[in-house]
Every structure is written in structure tokens, then in C-alpha cells.
Amino acid sequence: MRKEVVLITGANGEMGHGLINHLAQQGRALIVAVDVQPLNDELRPACHRFLQGDILDKMLLGRLVAEYEIRAIYHLASILSTKAEYNPETAHLINVGGTLNLLQLAVEQSQWQGQPVKFMYPSSIATYGIPNLETKYQAGKVHEGQWLSPTTMYGCNKLYCEHLGRYYSTYFRQLAADRSHNLVDFRCIRFPGLISATTIPTGGTSDYASEMVHYAAQGQPYESFVRLDTQLPFMVMPDAVKSLLELENAPRAVLHQLIYNVTSFSVTAQQIQDVVLAEFPGAHITVQPHQARQSIVDSWPMDVDDSAARQDWGWQPSYDFEQAFKDYLIPSIRQHYAAQ
Ligand code: AKB
């Protein structure tokens, strides 16, 4: 008999770490993890199986379909916003082509299982594109239907993949007579900038927030690539993982949309710098805005309206700005580097 599993792509990334630890602690499902990079040693015991490989490799995905009963897919693998700008076509191939492959895998699995397969898709505030700073501050909290003109390849990819999820969950094979149930139960969260105590993000544009804290904790100087008045919504990793798990567990009937904003706090780079300097008085932070990266964050909303998530599935972050730093980031980061 095929083993029932949860599949996680991009397992070795920032969110993969948090999610795998959490799912393993809950012990609710066997985890099959996929990543192009080798899996971090500490995550291995938490996974039933790890496959090092590419989500564009159809043979690898075919093996998974043949060997497992996949009940849920967390498709975390993606090339983030800054990195994607250096090679947009490759980013498109991985972000869109990879997602399409995983959606097709979900379709195949659900046809075989006779029930929908849950497809958890982390999208991003990069799907929004606001034309200028004045409009950004006038717009304030942006809801899911507003300002959907992304300015980055990553943002375009995320927005298009949201549409692919909508297509596969709602319309795919509508004309075929043999379809008795929805094949893919697509559930998507648009995340704000994420900050983790244990991993430093690579290739994103909201990375300055994480980098400021991690560099200070290691006693290294940091040059911020954005102006200090730059404001974005943020969330710490435990809240991001919590939101994904809560959305996965929500009964389908309470979900009135496929795509939800979530957020915890909206702060400027200056506010982050102030907390970092208060906690690490020796920290040396300078500012040298990078024009292209600055224009990306300037096009993202200063805050998002997550009232739909709060109403439909009871979303509530555990950490506000103060708690995020005092209760989670600072103590965990100190411990993390002390242990190294
Ligand atoms: C990035 O900066 O690319 C990501 C994101 C906001 O999705 N952190």
C-alpha cells in the first residue's frame, strides 16, 4: 500500500525549515521533502524521505506520484524577487514551470485518490505594484483585489501562479464528463516580508529587515540597500508557518476566497534599525540605497488588509512588532549564534 504523505518542495528554504519542524512535532503526517540543495542535517530526522532534485524534473515527480499517496502539497520552492531580476527567464521557468508541474501532480494524485489534494501556495506582496510613493502611502492597507500590476518577474510569476491555482481548482476539465469532484483544493496566502531567527533569506528584496538583525547579532557591519523611511508589512516565521497550517486545516466551506493576505506589523527600516541598535548597541548600520531594489520595495504596499483571513479562518498573528523582536527574534538569534 502506498504511504500517505505531505509533500514539501523548497524544503531547505527559510519557510521549509519552520514548516518541517512544526509538522514533524505535530506528528500528523509523514513528510516527503524535495529541494535542489542538500537538506540541512538537522531537518533529516523530521522527514520520512528527502529527494534532492529539481521540480522541473518530471521523472522525479513521476516517481513521487507512483510511490506515495500525497494528501497535501506545500509548494514552497521559488526564486525570490531580487534574484529573479538577474535572470528573469530562468526565474519564470522555475517559478511558473515548477508550479505547473506540481499542479499537474496534484491533479493526477486526486484523480487516482478520488478526492481533492490540498495545494498550499505561498504567494507574496510582490503581486502588488503601486506606481509611486505618494500613491503607496495614500493606498494604505491594500486588499486582495487592488493594485495587481507587479513590477518584478517574481511578482508576475506569483500572480500568474495564483491564477493557475484558480484554474486548476475551479475550471480544469469542466467540459469532461468524468469529473465528479474538484481535483485541486488550492489555498494561497500572500505573505508580507518574512523574518526568521534561524535562517537568512537569499535573493529577496524585503531581506534588509532580517539582514539588519542577523548582521548585528554576529557583530558584522551592515549596509542597508533601502532608505530608512521604507515601509513594508512584515511577519516572523513562526506566524507564517502558523498561518499556512491554519489555512490548510480550515474547512473548505468557510473559505470564501482562494487567496488571502496575512500580516503582523507594518514598520519602517528606521524602526527596525532602532530596535536593533537598542538590543545590540555596538551594531554598525549604514545606508546606501540600491536604486533597483529600492524601486521594488517602493512598489509594494506599506500594509495589507488581512480582514478576510481573520473573518474566514480566524487568522490572528501571535507576534506584534514588539513581541516579534523581544520574545522571538532577539532571544532566538542570540541563542542561534551563541551555539555556533
Ligand atoms: C522577496 O523579498 O522577494 C520576498 C517576498 C516579499 O516575497 N521576501
Side-chain angles (χ1 to χ4, degrees), residues 204-220:
T205 320
S206 62
D207 295 1
Y208 61 89
S210 294
E211 288 170 354
M212 261 188 208
V213 198
H214 281 268
Y215 279 59
Q218 293 173 89
Q220 290 176 13

Side-chain angles (χ1 to χ4, degrees), residues 228-244:
L228 290 181
D229 66 324
T230 303
Q231 185 167 357
L232 287 183
F234 283 100
M235 169 182 274
V236 286
M237 197 53 79
D239 269 337
V241 169
K242 175 173 114 149
S243 68
L244 268 179

Side-chain angles (χ1 to χ4, degrees), residues 14 79-82 123-126 154 158 191-194 201 203-207 232 300:
E14 269 212 297
I79 306 279
L80 296 184
S81 54
T82 293
S123 187
S124 161
I125 47 163
Y154 170 73
K158 285 289 182 191
F191 282 107
L194 298 179
T205 320
S206 62
D207 295 1
L232 287 183
W300 292 349

Side-chain angles (χ1 to χ4, degrees), residues 42-318:
E42 101 216 11
L43 292 178
R44 283 199 181 245
C47 297
H48 168 68
R49 178 141 176 229
F50 170 67
L51 288 111
Q52 186 173 355
D54 193 333
I55 50 169
L56 296 178
D57 178 354
K58 292 209 172 176
M59 296 274 280
L60 179 132
L61 299 183
R63 263 164 62 203
L64 291 174
V65 173
E67 285 181 45
Y68 296 106
E69 183 173 322
I70 300 170
R71 300 304 307 279
I73 298 171
Y74 285 84
H75 176 36
L76 312 181
S78 108
I79 306 279
L80 296 184
S81 54
T82 293
K83 193 167 174 202
E85 289 310 294
Y86 285 102
N87 203 336
E89 292 78 20
T90 305
H92 183 274
L93 202 64
I94 294 166
N95 291 347
V96 175
T99 303
L100 191 61
N101 285 348
L102 266 305
L103 282 164
Q104 284 170 335
L105 183 149
V107 166
E108 256 183 83
Q109 275 277 320
S110 89
Q111 276 168 333
W112 171 71
Q113 290 177 29
Q115 61 181 340
V117 166
K118 280 185 186 161
F119 195 100
M120 304 305 299
Y121 185 65
S123 187
S124 161
I125 47 163
T127 52
Y128 299 111
I130 303 180
N132 54 56
L133 268 182
E134 198 191 343
T135 315
K136 166 170 169 153
Y137 291 109
Q138 265 166 15
K141 284 183 179 220
V142 163
H143 67 70
E144 287 87 347
Q146 291 179 301
W147 302 107
L148 294 171
S149 298
T151 65
T152 59
M153 177 53 93
Y154 170 73
C156 293
N157 295 163
K158 285 289 182 191
L159 186 58
Y160 178 62
C161 288
E162 291 180 0
H163 285 296
L164 287 180
R166 184 173 58 80
Y167 166 74
Y168 276 100
S169 63
T170 318
Y171 302 105
F172 178 66
R173 297 227 180 121
Q174 206 169 36
L175 298 179
D178 63 346
R179 197 182 141 198
S180 57
H181 60 86
N182 281 349
L183 298 173
V184 181
D185 182 355
F186 181 78
R187 303 176 179 207
C188 169
I189 289 183
R190 283 198 194 134
F191 282 107
L194 298 179
I195 314 179
S196 161
T198 50
T199 48
I200 309 188
T202 46
T205 320
S206 62
D207 295 1
Y208 61 89
S210 294
E211 288 170 354
M212 261 188 208
V213 198
H214 281 268
Y215 279 59
Q218 293 173 89
Q220 290 176 13
Y222 182 66
E223 186 178 273
S224 170
F225 58 83
V226 297
R227 295 184 317 266
L228 290 181
D229 66 324
T230 303
Q231 185 167 357
L232 287 183
F234 283 100
M235 169 182 274
V236 286
M237 197 53 79
D239 269 337
V241 169
K242 175 173 114 149
S243 68
L244 268 179
L245 294 171
E246 284 180 358
L247 180 59
E248 197 219 314
N249 287 330
R252 182 75 252 173
V254 304
L255 304 178
H256 295 103
Q257 51 199 59
L258 297 177
I259 294 143
Y260 289 94
N261 284 336
V262 295
T263 192
S264 299
F265 49 88
S266 165
V267 287
T268 61
Q270 175 79 60
Q271 285 172 282
I272 297 172
Q273 180 188 261
D274 290 348
V275 179
V276 170
L277 289 176
E279 294 292 338
F280 303 98
H284 184 64
I285 301 173
T286 52
V287 179
Q288 186 60 54
H290 180 285
Q291 208 188 340
R293 296 183 95 184
Q294 181 71 56
S295 74
I296 291 175
V297 287
D298 285 347
S299 78
W300 292 349
M302 58 167 281
D303 205 355
V304 292
D305 177 346
D306 63 0
S307 52
R310 289 173 188 260
Q311 269 156 37
D312 284 5
W313 44 280
W315 162 244
Q316 179 80 53
S318 299

Side-chain angles (χ1 to χ4, degrees), residues 21-33:
N21 283 328
H22 232 85
L23 281 174
Q25 269 164 27
Q26 286 183 347
R28 278 192 304 136
L30 293 179
I31 298 169
V32 171

